[in-house]
């Protein structure tokens, strides 16, 4: 009986003009978004690879200079562009993928509010994830809103029940039919999406990631199938049902995601940019300045060092004082930047906790979190890259200062290093979060999504059972 | 076959059906007359299990409807006043769908026979229902009832809005079914139709079955029925 109802539901949908229209419209949008996103991804990836190579070549081939001057010369690092970022661009558009590394300061590519995810600006960008996350649910609602309500209003429900249909069978049949209709459009999308992976020659891990993303979207569609049936059975009249289902869509896909971000910012405001940098400046004054040497902290360090080595002037130290004090200054600076960055990250972390709470209300938020995490375009992956870049900066600058300390005479600012030295400097080799860690990290969110799917289904069955034919 | 024992339905402060006791044997057609709101539809709704009686019981083929909501449906067919069906399916597809819901998988020729028995031509059965007149949809409704081979038939003003010819065809079909031993309960406003087909005619008022006229030998005249009806209400 369930199959009969499902078949009927699908057949009815396929013969509806609005279904055909919606399919044509959605397919066009999806292909457009896929093409646009892939094109963007491919050119970005190419640019990045070129730029990353160029940056390192520039470093290797920089003109002869003092190692500390090289620290000021600086270099660029790039967050890798993952194959799936064309599918879900995530926060990449907000954060940028490029970071300038130099001595004395820890740059924060763009440590601004846009780092927090989800904005109306995001809604405006047509990506495959947008089509699947926002527009496909709309199609499901258009197909499902009168699944039960129309039958009830026009009396077919009475006829069906007189024929001995079980209300639960009606629910399962209708949801199965909606699934079939949804998949008839989603599966071609999924396959088209895979073409991008094929084209970029992704490895097995990324195919697995893609499969998981699809699983997430299927569960997400299931939530909307249940919701539209639930509302349809609850409302009992098609027009009420349509308004109800659309309201839920607005709530889940627009209001909650946007509201959660705003609410999180109000609840845990990040310090204003100016105040943040002033605070760093203040703290920087409270320690060794490698370039000054006249500040109290440098003098104190000098006294202690001279005493430790039992000499009366820095010239008699067994190492180059200039390099030593430069590294001490660097360590202080790193500590100050790290301290403030950690504080800021804590604020962001609290904001994101609020945001994650919103995922309980909105499967859209939940799906977004999961999809971005799997695509490697989420905030966590970005922060992981920032942390790795900072570790690399500390390492590189430390290496340069060490060379200055060990291999240069005091006062020898004219001494230089060339290609053979710089080419041997430590390289930035960023390893993105391991797939296993990503997987175990998303399990709770996956769990919530499937709980959402189950509970919405159970409530829908409940409403179908309660549905009165008169 | 169709039986009610002190069937009563209250809606908050209103009595929709009051203490109805009724037995309709196989091969018998019972017509319910009465004004709108007299309780005719409530009676049918109780038998179909759409309305839970406040007290009393309704039985189909000896099965208590409240206790056996699905099982009791196997023996009944229902024809509402307005048969809507699914407009983007053909008449035949609608018939097939509703038959499958009832658990029947009829061959196409069987379905066509049902349609034809209900008075619908085969080529009309191939058209989408959105192009049907009310009468044609009603005929598909009858075909759905026929295809189910029900023992108990519930008809809620089935001829309202039908043209005289269609209405007359319908009466003839009912008489056929009666011969085959079906038990039918029909709510109607159509005194002539009632006279033609009914073994008994009951007149309802304010939820009560206040008058039962015997028409077993088709002995009543429409005029008589009308007089009793007008006096009763």
């Amino acid at each position: 009986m369930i199959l009969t109802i499902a078949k009927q539901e699908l057949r009815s949908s396929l013969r509806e003009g609005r279904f055909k229209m919606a399919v044509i419209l959605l397919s066009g949008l999806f292909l457009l978004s896929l093409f646009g996103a892939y094109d963007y991804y491919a050119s970005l990836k190419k640019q990045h690879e070129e730029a990353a190579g160029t940056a390192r070549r520039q470093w290797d081939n920089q003109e002869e200079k003092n190692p500390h001057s090289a620290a000021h010369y600086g270099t660029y690092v790039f967050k890798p562009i993952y194959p799936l970022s064309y599918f879900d661009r995530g926060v990449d558009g907000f954060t940028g993928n490029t970071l300038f590394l130099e001595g004395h300061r820890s740059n924060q590519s763009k440590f601004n509010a846009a780092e927090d995810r989800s904005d109306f600006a995001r809604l405006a960008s047509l990506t495959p994830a947008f089509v699947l996350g926002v527009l496909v649910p709309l199609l499901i609602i258009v197909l499902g809103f009168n699944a039960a309500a129309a039958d009830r209003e026009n009396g077919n429900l009475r006829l069906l029940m007189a024929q001995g249909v079980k209300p639960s069978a009606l629910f399962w049949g209708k949801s199965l039919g909606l699934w079939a209709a949804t998949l008839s459009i989603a599966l071609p999308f999924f396959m088209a999406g895979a073409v991008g992976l094929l084209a970029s020659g992704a490895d097995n891990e990324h195919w697995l990631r893609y499969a998981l993303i699809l699983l997430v979207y299927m569960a997400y569609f299931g939530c909307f199938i249940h919701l539209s049936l639930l509302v349809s059975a609850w409302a009992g009249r098609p027009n009420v049902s349509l308004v109800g289902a659309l309201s839920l869509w607005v709530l889940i896909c627009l209001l909650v995601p946007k509201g959660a971000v705003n609410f999180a910012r109000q609840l845990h405001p990040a310090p204003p940019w100016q105040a943040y940098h002033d605070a760093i400046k203040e703290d920087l004054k409270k320690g060794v300045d490698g370039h000054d040497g006249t500040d109290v902290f440098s003098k104190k360090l000098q006294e202690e060092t001279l005493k430790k080595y039992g000499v009366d002037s820095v010239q008699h130290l067994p190492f180059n004082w200039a390099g030593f004090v430069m590294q001490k200054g660097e360590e202080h600076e790193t500590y100050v930047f790290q301290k403030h960055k950690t504080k800021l990250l804590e604020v962001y972390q609290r904001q994101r906790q609020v945001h994650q709470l919103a995922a309980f209300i909105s499967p859209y938020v939940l799906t977004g979190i999961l999809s971005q995490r799997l695509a490697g375009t989420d905030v966590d992956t970005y922060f992981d890259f920032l942390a790795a870049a900072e570790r690399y900066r500390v390492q590189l600058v430390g290496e340069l200062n060490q060379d200055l300390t060990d291999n240069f005479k005091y006062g020898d600012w004219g001494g230089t290093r060339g290609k053979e030295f710089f080419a041997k400097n430590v390289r930035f080799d960023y390893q993105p979060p391991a797939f296993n860690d990503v997987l175990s990290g998303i399990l709770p969110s996956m769990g919530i999504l499937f709980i959402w799917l189950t509970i919405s289904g159970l409530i829908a069955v409940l409403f179908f059972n309660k549905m009165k034919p008169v | 076959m169709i039986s009610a024992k002190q069937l009563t339905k209250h809606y908050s402060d209103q009595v929709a059906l009051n203490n109805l006791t009724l037995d309709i044997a196989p091969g018998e057609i019972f017509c319910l007359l009465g004004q709108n709101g007299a309780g005719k539809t409530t009676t049918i709704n109780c038998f179909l299990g759409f309305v839970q009686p406040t007290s009393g019981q309704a039985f189909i083929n000896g099965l208590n409807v409240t206790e056996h909501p699905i099982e009791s449906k196997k023996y009944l067919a229902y024809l509402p006043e307005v048969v809507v069906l699914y407009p983007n399916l053909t008449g035949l597809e609608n018939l097939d769908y509703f038959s499958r819901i009832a658990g029947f998988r009829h061959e196409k020729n069987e379905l066509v026979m049902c349609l034809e028995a209900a008075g619908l031509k085969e080529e009309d059965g191939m058209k989408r229902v959105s192009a049907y007149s009310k009468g044609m949809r009603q005929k598909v409704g009858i075909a759905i009832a026929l295809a189910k081979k029900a023992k108990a038939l519930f008809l809620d003003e089935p001829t309202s809005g039908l043209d005289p010819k269609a209405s007359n065809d319908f009466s003839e079909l009912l008489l056929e079914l009666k011969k085959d031993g079906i038990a039918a309960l029909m709510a109607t406003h159509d005194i002539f139709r009632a006279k033609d087909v009914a073994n008994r005619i009951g007149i309802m008022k304010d939820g009560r079955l206040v008058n039962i006229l015997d028409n077993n030998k088709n002995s009543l005249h429409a005029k008589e029925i009308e007089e009793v009806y007008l006096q009763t209400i």
Side-chain angles (χ1 to χ4, degrees), chain A residues 1 4-5 8 11-12 15-16 151 154 156 158-166 174 468-470, chain B residues 45 50-51 70 73 76 78 80 83-86 88-90 93 97-102 128 144 148:
Chain A
M1 187 188 289
T4 304
I5 299 167
Q8 147 67 13
R11 183 167 56 177
S12 251
R15 288 185 187 176
E16 289 251 1
D151 277 352
N154 65 24
N156 277 341
R158 290 171 65 90
L159 212 48
L160 286 171
M161 292 183 93
Q163 292 294 86
V165 76
K166 285 195 195 95
K174 298 251 174 198
K468 290 267 189 309
V470 286
Chain B
N45 281 340
F50 296 168
V51 164
I70 303 293
K73 299 289 193 302
L76 69 82
Y78 166 62
V83 180
V84 174
L85 308 171
Y86 293 97
N88 50 20
L89 263 58
T90 67
E93 286 169 339
Y97 176 58
F98 280 102
S99 297
R100 279 166 185 268
I101 290 293
R128 290 208 183 166
I144 291 171
K148 205 177 173 187

Side-chain angles (χ1 to χ4, degrees), chain B residues 23-87:
Chain B
D23 262 298
I24 306 173
E28 189 184 13
I29 295 181
F30 192 104
C31 279
L32 282 177
L33 296 179
Q35 285 181 296
N36 292 328
K40 304 190 296 294
T41 300
T42 304
T43 305
I44 291 179
N45 281 340
C46 281
F47 279 110
L48 294 175
F50 296 168
V51 164
Q52 293 303 316
T54 312
S55 64
Q57 293 108 39
F59 297 92
I60 306 283
N61 198 25
L63 290 168
N64 186 322
V65 167
T66 316
E67 288 163 17
H68 305 279
I70 303 293
E71 177 77 3
S72 64
K73 299 289 193 302
K74 283 187 184 165
Y75 306 101
L76 69 82
Y78 166 62
L79 187 66
E81 181 183 355
V82 182
V83 180
V84 174
L85 308 171
Y86 293 97

Side-chain angles (χ1 to χ4, degrees), chain A residues 391-410:
Chain A
R391 283 196 300 275
Y392 171 68
R393 190 188 72 84
V394 168
Q395 216 181 342
L396 179 66
V397 174
E399 214 171 80
L400 298 169
N401 284 335
Q402 195 64 49
D403 183 52
L404 187 66
T405 309
D406 292 347
N407 305 324
F408 287 79
K409 282 209 181 69
Y410 181 71

Side-chain angles (χ1 to χ4, degrees), chain A residues 263-271 346-354:
Chain A
F263 183 62
R265 281 183 195 155
Q266 297 223 325
L267 206 61
H268 305 292
E346 277 166 7
V347 174
Y348 285 130
Q349 208 52 44
R350 278 196 291 273
Q351 288 186 354
R352 291 180 57 223
Q353 276 160 4
V354 175

Side-chain angles (χ1 to χ4, degrees), chain A residues 438-454:
Chain A
V438 171
L439 206 57
S440 55
I442 60 169
L443 278 183
S445 297
M446 284 282 234
I448 297 172
L449 187 61
F450 280 91
I451 288 172
W452 234 101
L453 182 69
T454 312

